[in-house]
Amino acid sequence: MANFAKIENGVVTNIFIAEQSEVDKGTFGDASTIKEWKRDGSIRANPAIISGTYDASKDKFYWPQPHASWTLDSNDQWVPPITKPTDKTKHWYWDEAVYQADNTKGWVEGV
């Protein structure tokens, strides 16, 4: 058994566990729209999640962009435009509205 993702127009619409032979014979639809993945990212870089995207040119899954200002880094992981503060005694969360109002800010101390 393996993990698979159904992809429609580059978007993951379903994830399921099945035997490769069932995928190959079309049990879950057109086999060309189904890609195997692994939870640890060893196949296709990231685990597939519903509403995530699949880039056929890179043969990789991407999680949905968490915030409008975040971009993909060279490892194809979403990163914020400002580095997260290193003070581990505090809880930090990203506030997109704060960043949009002043692009030198964005990390906000939580309670």
Side-chain angles (χ1 to χ4, degrees):
M1 300 286 254
N3 295 302
F4 292 93
K6 173 79 172 166
I7 300 154
E8 296 177 18
N9 300 314
V11 177
V12 177
T13 58
N14 194 12
I15 55 175
F16 56 93
I17 297 172
E19 295 288 346
Q20 182 69 53
S21 59
E22 292 296 313
V23 172
D24 293 343
K25 69 181 182 182
T27 302
F28 305 99
D30 181 358
S32 69
T33 65
I34 297 171
K35 300 293 180 188
E36 184 179 0
W37 59 277
K38 290 200 176 198
R39 292 183 190 275
D40 66 3
S42 62
I43 296 179
R44 299 195 167 83
N46 296 300
I49 62 169
I50 293 176
S51 297
T53 57
Y54 173 72
D55 183 335
S57 67
K58 291 186 175 184
D59 193 27
K60 291 183 175 184
F61 287 109
Y62 299 99
W63 293 14
Q65 185 177 14
H67 302 284
S69 62
W70 290 35
T71 58
L72 289 170
D73 67 10
S74 61
N75 295 316
D76 295 319
Q77 300 297 314
W78 292 110
V79 294
I82 299 169
T83 304
K84 186 175 183 178
T86 57
D87 184 348
K88 296 190 187 282
T89 65
K90 298 178 182 177
H91 171 75
W92 300 97
Y93 69 93
W94 183 258
D95 188 323
E96 186 69 15
V98 169
Y99 176 76
Q100 294 300 328
D102 178 352
N103 66 10
T104 65
K105 299 177 181 176
W107 290 105
V108 177
E109 184 179 346
V111 290

